[in-house]
Amino acid sequence: MARRYDSRTTTFSPEGRLYQVEYAMEAINLAGSTVGILAEDGVILAGEKKTTSKLLDQGSQHEKLFQLDDYMFCAVAGITSDANILINKLRVSAARHTYTYGETMPVEQLVTSICDVKQGYTQFGGLRPFGVSFLIAGYDASHGFQLYHTDPSGNFSGWKAYAIGVNNNTAQQIMRQDWKEGMKLQEALELTAKVLTKTMDTASPNAEKLEFGVVEKTESGVIRYRTLSDAEVNKLMADAAPKESEEGKSAAAASS
């Protein structure tokens, strides 16, 4: 039955489904693990890079994290070439708002604007949905630190912690157990490292395979965006690895 209705985004199946949109969402689940966590004094996004090589120029190559303006950035899961088009739209919208009104664009308003574009590509013939999901993190004066998820259908939702990409169900389960209200940025970074250790398909996750970024409030009260250095990422992942092995041993002892 599905084969008769999955060739166009504009044709509903008898069950009321748009198969091409659902297929686009499935493409997201093949992407590298991408995690976002909201803390009291910041917000974190981290992602697994699928393209790794010692020949890559790491200074000019970005696969998962992209800065949108001084207070917002996003993580990508899906088709990166599709994401590049939408990221340019996000940056232009944020810059245009700042130029017009003299203040940073509210995070939710920016998310809504890009979801309107995504939804349009599911409604007209001759187009296909963008095969990309975003985690968008940022800060504005009205609502503080925020984390949003968008999907290819044009839906968006606000989260305290969320994961997309491969093994996202495992990641969500860990975060449901370990995330708590009032969590500080360092605790959130440690939780992010724990989640990635559990979900990545590699025995030794390190800075070569990962990107970490944060929007944080400094001790002086200044809001800033920064990417974590390779040394910081390697330390986080190394600290998370022993905890995982200890948990594994205790679980094995309990079962025996």
Side-chain angles (χ1 to χ4, degrees), residues 25-213:
M25 292 183 188
E26 285 302 314
I28 310 306
N29 295 330
L30 304 176
S33 298
T34 309
V35 178
I37 297 181
L38 194 63
E40 189 176 55
D41 52 348
V43 58
I44 301 159
L45 294 179
E48 174 190 4
K49 293 188 284 187
K50 289 292 188 181
T51 307
T52 57
S53 169
K54 67 178 181 180
L55 302 179
L56 271 174
D57 180 2
Q58 299 294 337
S60 59
Q61 190 267 347
H62 292 279
E63 184 182 330
K64 298 301 287 188
L65 301 185
F66 299 86
Q67 185 175 3
L68 304 176
D69 71 1
D70 292 341
Y71 302 120
M72 286 183 274
F73 71 120
C74 69
V76 169
I79 302 171
T80 309
S81 54
D82 282 8
N84 289 336
I85 300 294
L86 294 174
I87 287 165
N88 283 338
K89 288 181 181 294
L90 284 164
R91 287 171 172 165
V92 168
S93 295
R96 186 178 290 140
H97 187 280
T98 302
Y99 179 78
T100 304
Y101 300 105
E103 62 181 21
T104 306
M105 192 172 189
V107 183
E108 186 175 351
Q109 188 175 334
L110 184 64
V111 173
T112 303
S113 71
I114 205 62
C115 284
D116 289 346
V117 174
K118 283 186 169 189
Q119 191 277 334
Y121 275 72
T122 70
Q123 200 168 0
F124 300 102
L127 305 176
R128 69 160 174 82
F130 287 97
V132 61
S133 276
F134 289 123
L135 290 179
I136 298 177
Y139 175 90
D140 61 49
S142 300
H143 300 289
F145 296 103
Q146 297 157 73
L147 172 66
Y148 291 93
H149 166 246
T150 78
D151 67 30
S153 71
N155 279 328
F156 73 92
S157 47
W159 293 86
K160 295 174 180 175
Y162 200 72
I164 51 179
V166 70
N167 296 328
N168 62 79
N169 288 330
T170 304
Q172 301 272 37
Q173 188 176 359
I174 296 167
M175 291 190 292
R176 273 196 297 269
Q177 292 171 350
D178 292 2
W179 188 90
K180 58 182 184 291
E181 201 74 47
M183 180 178 271
K184 294 296 184 184
L185 190 66
Q186 185 57 39
E187 295 175 282
L189 283 167
E190 290 167 4
L191 176 56
T192 305
K194 177 183 177 180
V195 169
L196 289 169
T197 303
K198 287 272 185 89
T199 57
M200 285 177 65
D201 299 326
T202 177
S204 57
N206 55 40
E208 186 184 354
K209 302 182 181 76
L210 290 165
E211 290 183 53
F212 274 73

